[in-house]
Amino acid sequence: MREIIEKLKLNKDVSDNELASLIDDNYDTELLFQAARSVREEIYGKKIYIRGLIEVSNYCKNDCFYCGIRKSNLTVNRFRLTKEEILSCCKTGYSLGFRTFVMQGGEDMHFTDDIICDILREVKSDYPDCAVTLSLGEKSYESYKAYFDAGADRYLLRHETANNSHYQKLHPSAMSLENRKECLYNLREIGYQVGSGFMVGSPYQTTENIIEDIRFLQDFNPHMVGIGPYMTHSQTPFANHPNGSVDKTLKLLAIIRLMFPKVLLPATTALGTALQEGREKGILAGANVIMPNLSPKDTRKLYEIYENKLYTGDEAAEALHNLKNSMKKIGYEIVVDRGDHNSKTPMK
Ligand code: 5AD
């Protein structure tokens, strides 16, 4: 195994069989994590970037089988934030040192392009030194272009799975992998920094599927890769499927760091939910981004894409303070920085 890890570190690639061993075999994963940390530290030092997550709406026209806020879940209390509420989240976030705001939401038809552009222009004019990331699902080329022209810098859209038939098992027939990929290529062409990714342990996922995900990422070469364990939600058709494995998620974070040394790799909320100190373990496996929640406390609970989502009940300030301490304990430092993919991060 040591040889495969060395090879992956050196060549940024190994064969499918070797990938399968890294993903599935039992071995001392500390070797893998150590390699991932050394690659990450060469580029990013001990710096951890933070993104302020603002959950803008849990209305969604889609019906993804794994997601708690799917439209068929009639037990959800739906909310959407007003422009003023979003701006107030940014204000809090800015004063705490956030320089990236991520506006994430379901595919809520109330948020027309005009409304989204209006919000973007206001956020960018109030905080010109901040990056704005959108995560609002599948839209037309024209819509993505309008958001970009209104100031959006980055877009997160996980591909979810790069295998067609697996994609169909996770989504209603109105959705397709083809369209998902087209959205990703459109975003890239328009000029966004793009994030893609997938869930680890989603229902029916095989190791071959994960390898296809990795091959797709090599082909698309996104700026950011979001991966976290699948987490069950009782009000979905997948209520009886078990959670994804934390260990496998950590292995994949490390593998992705070794294959894409410069990639922005978040230790996700799902990882922090699946395991206490999951985000710290993610950092120690090669992740370099954390996305703390800046949403208003009362709506945070309602944005339940999976159950028992990590929620400390703390104010944003308190949560950030605790996060800084927990990162310091493991030798890392949260920085105030837009944290662009291409930024020349000074080495320590
Ligand atoms: N468990 C883990 N992640 C989920 N997502 C959606 N539902 C779940 C779930 N039940 C992820 C999807 C989506 C992102 C916003 O959250 O990958 O792209």
Side-chain angles (χ1 to χ4, degrees):
M1 208 47 95
R2 190 184 290 268
E3 274 167 36
I4 303 181
I5 294 168
E6 277 306 311
K7 196 162 126 189
L8 184 60
K9 188 174 169 187
L10 196 68
N11 302 341
K12 304 182 185 60
D13 205 0
V14 289
S15 69
D16 285 0
N17 280 339
E18 289 166 326
L19 272 180
S21 297
L22 286 173
I23 295 167
D24 287 333
D25 290 2
N26 268 326
Y27 59 97
D28 181 7
T29 47
E30 192 44 36
L31 276 179
L32 179 69
F33 299 160
Q34 231 168 43
R37 285 200 297 274
S38 80
V39 164
R40 191 262 321 274
E41 277 160 33
E42 261 173 49
I43 296 166
Y44 292 108
K46 296 279 195 182
K47 292 180 195 296
I48 302 298
Y49 298 114
I50 47 170
R51 319 305 202 189
L53 182 65
I54 305 170
E55 294 155 340
V56 296
S57 168
N58 68 354
Y59 284 87
C60 192
K61 73 175 168 64
N62 273 340
D63 222 9
C64 308
F65 301 147
Y66 46 81
C67 184
I69 62 168
R70 63 200 302 268
K71 78 165 174 205
S72 294
N73 183 1
L74 302 179
T75 69
V76 178
N77 284 322
R78 304 282 172 174
F79 76 92
R80 69 173 62 90
L81 302 187
T82 62
K83 176 163 104 175
E84 289 66 35
E85 286 170 320
I86 293 171
L87 287 165
S88 143
C89 295
C90 294
K91 187 172 178 191
T92 308
Y94 192 87
S95 71
L96 292 173
F98 287 89
R99 294 297 176 267
T100 293
F101 303 119
V102 183
M103 295 186 353
Q104 182 169 81
E107 294 193 13
D108 179 353
M109 303 313 284
H110 165 85
F111 278 115
T112 59
D113 289 354
D114 283 348
I115 294 178
I116 292 171
C117 289
D118 179 53
I119 296 171
L120 282 167
R121 278 190 289 266
E122 186 121 359
V123 172
K124 290 295 281 197
S125 88
D126 289 358
Y127 306 99
D129 54 335
C130 291
V132 176
T133 305
L134 295 179
S135 181
L136 301 172
E138 297 179 8
K139 309 273 179 178
S140 67
Y141 183 96
E142 291 69 32
S143 297
Y144 286 148
K145 179 81 170 75
Y147 309 157
F148 188 77
D149 292 342
D153 302 276
R154 308 181 183 139
Y155 206 100
L156 306 180
L157 183 72
R158 292 185 176 177
H159 66 277
E160 311 295 0
T161 171
N163 177 280
N164 254 314
S165 71
H166 187 220
Y167 196 95
Q168 290 311 323
K169 287 183 185 147
L170 301 182
H171 301 98
S173 58
M175 294 176 73
S176 74
L177 178 57
E178 197 188 349
N179 190 53
R180 197 80 171 179
K181 284 186 179 173
E182 193 178 322
C183 287
L184 285 166
Y185 283 99
N186 285 343
L187 288 162
R188 149 79 68 55
E189 189 191 310
I190 290 167
Y192 283 95
Q193 293 178 43
V194 184
S196 194
F198 59 95
M199 291 175 284
V200 178
S202 59
Y204 311 110
Q205 183 185 56
T206 63
T207 301
E208 287 67 41
N209 293 154
I210 297 178
I211 294 170
E212 286 174 273
D213 287 323
I214 294 173
R215 299 299 177 210
F216 169 71
L217 292 173
Q218 284 181 311
D219 183 50
F220 182 64
N221 200 20
H223 301 87
M224 180 182 249
V225 174
I227 60 167
Y230 162 74
M231 303 291 288
T232 301
H233 193 296
S234 63
Q235 300 296 321
T236 67
F238 289 160
N240 295 323
H241 288 265
N243 288 349
S245 147
V246 169
D247 287 341
K248 202 182 271 189
T249 306
L250 294 172
K251 283 175 170 177
L252 281 159
L253 285 172
I255 292 169
I256 287 167
R257 170 61 62 204
L258 291 170
M259 296 182 98
F260 307 91
K262 281 168 102 177
V263 81
L264 293 161
L265 193 59
T268 57
T269 308
L271 186 58
T273 301
L275 183 76
Q276 217 189 346
E277 306 201 337
R279 291 187 300 184
E280 289 77 1
K281 289 200 164 166
I283 297 297
L284 291 170
N288 69 331
V289 175
I290 294 189
M291 297 167 68
N293 205 319
L294 286 180
S295 310
K297 268 171 79 170
D298 53 333
T299 61
R300 234 184 266 183
K301 290 192 256 328
L302 301 177
Y303 197 82
E304 225 186 23
I305 50 182
Y306 47 82
E307 276 160 334
N308 307 314
K309 200 178 63 162
L310 182 65
Y311 173 69
T312 57
D314 294 334
E315 295 298 341
E318 182 73 10
L320 184 63
H321 176 77
N322 294 337
L323 190 63
K324 279 183 178 162
N325 280 337
S326 75
M327 288 298 126
K328 208 165 155 190
K329 263 194 210 149
I330 57 169
Y332 289 81
E333 180 203 4
I334 284 179
V335 293
V336 175
D337 190 323
R338 274 175 49 129
D340 285 291
H341 178 266
N342 294 321
S343 59
K344 298 237 177 334
T345 312
M347 308 259 277
K348 286 225 151 163

